[in-house]
């Protein structure tokens, strides 16, 4: 008798990729952390969002964002091309549905750098996603980072700090809170979260 035939089926890991959402108040270090993860984690792709904001020096269309005008963006909303979209600092941002599905269906994980409205909304579609909220070590550290980054005027920095207070109300929509103090430590923590999440029983069939 073939004993192997009698064995029960071994659990198999899902062959779909995971949705990983990273949100944080502006200046906390989200872009820095995303870049590191994309460079160092195998099987991880970035979800390139659409935006109506102007391209910053060094940004590349199709790599950092798909830059479109407001008319095009509004048309895309009507055509239901976004899995979520939001207005952030007077510009529209949206996560394209088709591209996102293509990545996860190919088995790759996908990293989304989106604001808290987006994090809250996308959870409804991907309840099994990995939702990480990055926190600054203190308000003074956050202000210092915004100043040192040198991208915003002092009045813009004050708007970002005010907004950060409101964004904290959304942490209830995230599963993990990571204080971005020491950058190497932050990378290690986030990598550990992702690796652990991939081994959840619910990801096996
Ligand atoms: P965000 O994308 O959240 O707006 P950035 O990644 O642009 O933030 O980071 C804001 C600034 O803070 C940058 O100058 C970056 O080099 C710096 N930064 C990021 N993480 C840390 C950290 N752990 N400690 C000190 N400075 C940091
Ligand atoms: P920035 O213009 O500095 O690149 O991004 C501004 C904010 O928009 C950041 O908080 C970023 O995470 C957020 N953002 C970028 N893409 C998207 C998106 O597709 N959807 C949502 N909701 N927010 C986004």
């Amino acid at each position: 008798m073939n004993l192997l035939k009698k064995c029960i089926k071994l659990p198999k890991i899902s062959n779909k990729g995971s949705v990983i959402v990273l949100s944080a108040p502006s200046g906390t270090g989200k872009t820095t952390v995303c870049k590191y993860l994309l460079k160092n984690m195998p099987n991880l792709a970035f979800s390139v969002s659409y935006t109506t904001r102007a391209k910053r020096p060094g940004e590349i269309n199709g790599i950092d964002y798909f830059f479109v005008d407001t008319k095009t963006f509004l048309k895309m909303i009507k055509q239901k091309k976004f899995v979520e979209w939001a207005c952030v600092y007077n510009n529209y941002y949206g996560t394209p549905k088709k591209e996102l599905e293509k990545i996860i269906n190919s088995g790759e994980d996908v990293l989304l750098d989106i604001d808290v409205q987006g994090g809250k909304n996308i959870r409804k579609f991907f309840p099994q996603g990995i939702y990480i909220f990055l926190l600054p070590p203190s308000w003074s550290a956050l202000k210092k980072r915004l100043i040192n980054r040198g991208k915003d005027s002092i009045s813009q920095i004050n708007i970002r700090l005010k907004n950060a207070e409101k964004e904290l109300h959304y942490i209830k929509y995230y599963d993990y809170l990571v204080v971005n103090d020491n950058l190497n430590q932050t990378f290690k923590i986030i990598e550990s979260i992702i690796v652990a999440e991939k081994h959840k029983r619910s990801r096996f069939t």
Side-chain angles (χ1 to χ4, degrees), residues 2-8:
N2 186 349
L3 272 177
L4 278 176
K5 260 192 186 164
K6 275 190 133 185
C7 290
I8 58 161

Side-chain angles (χ1 to χ4, degrees), residues 23-34 113 134 137 141-142 144-152 160 179-184 186-187:
S23 299
S26 179
T28 304
K30 202 167 14 122
T31 311
T32 310
V33 171
C34 280
D113 166 347
L134 208 57
L142 180 61
K144 219 161 147 188
R145 284 182 196 175
L146 284 165
I147 293 169
N148 289 346
R149 185 168 69 175
K151 253 182 12 187
D152 308 291
R160 282 172 198 271
V179 177
N180 180 27
D181 194 352
N182 175 291
L183 203 45
N184 282 324
T186 301
F187 296 147

Side-chain angles (χ1 to χ4, degrees), residues 3-131:
L3 272 177
L4 278 176
K5 260 192 186 164
K6 275 190 133 185
C7 290
I8 58 161
K9 236 174 81 189
L10 280 173
K12 266 205 174 142
I13 193 151
S14 159
N15 52 13
K16 270 201 174 188
S18 301
V19 169
I20 302 160
V21 172
L22 192 64
S23 299
S26 179
T28 304
K30 202 167 14 122
T31 311
T32 310
V33 171
C34 280
K35 283 197 174 141
Y36 173 88
L37 294 175
L38 289 161
K39 206 169 151 196
N40 292 284
M41 290 206 77
N43 205 40
L44 184 64
F46 185 62
S47 164
V48 181
S49 296
Y50 281 74
T51 185
T52 58
R53 88 146 157 74
K55 205 197 282 180
R56 294 187 187 127
E59 285 184 329
I60 301 168
N61 188 40
I63 301 277
D64 299 285
Y65 284 104
F66 292 107
F67 296 94
V68 293
D69 57 26
T70 305
K71 196 175 158 205
T72 308
F73 196 97
L74 295 177
K75 194 169 154 199
M76 290 179 76
I77 294 177
K78 262 195 176 164
Q79 294 170 330
K80 302 201 184 318
K81 296 226 167 146
F82 298 121
V83 63
E84 67 73 34
W85 63 269
C87 193
V88 189
Y89 298 114
N90 299 321
N91 291 303
Y92 287 110
Y93 294 85
T95 305
K97 204 190 284 173
K98 218 162 110 189
E99 284 87 336
L100 187 73
E101 280 169 355
K102 199 170 151 199
I103 298 172
I104 52 176
N105 286 338
S106 77
E108 260 193 312
D109 298 327
V110 62
L111 182 63
L112 278 74
D113 166 347
I114 58 175
D115 90 313
V116 289
Q117 307 168 72
K120 179 186 172 191
N121 290 334
I122 207 163
R123 223 190 146 108
K124 296 170 203 150
F125 299 97
F126 298 102
Q128 288 213 11
I130 305 168
Y131 294 84

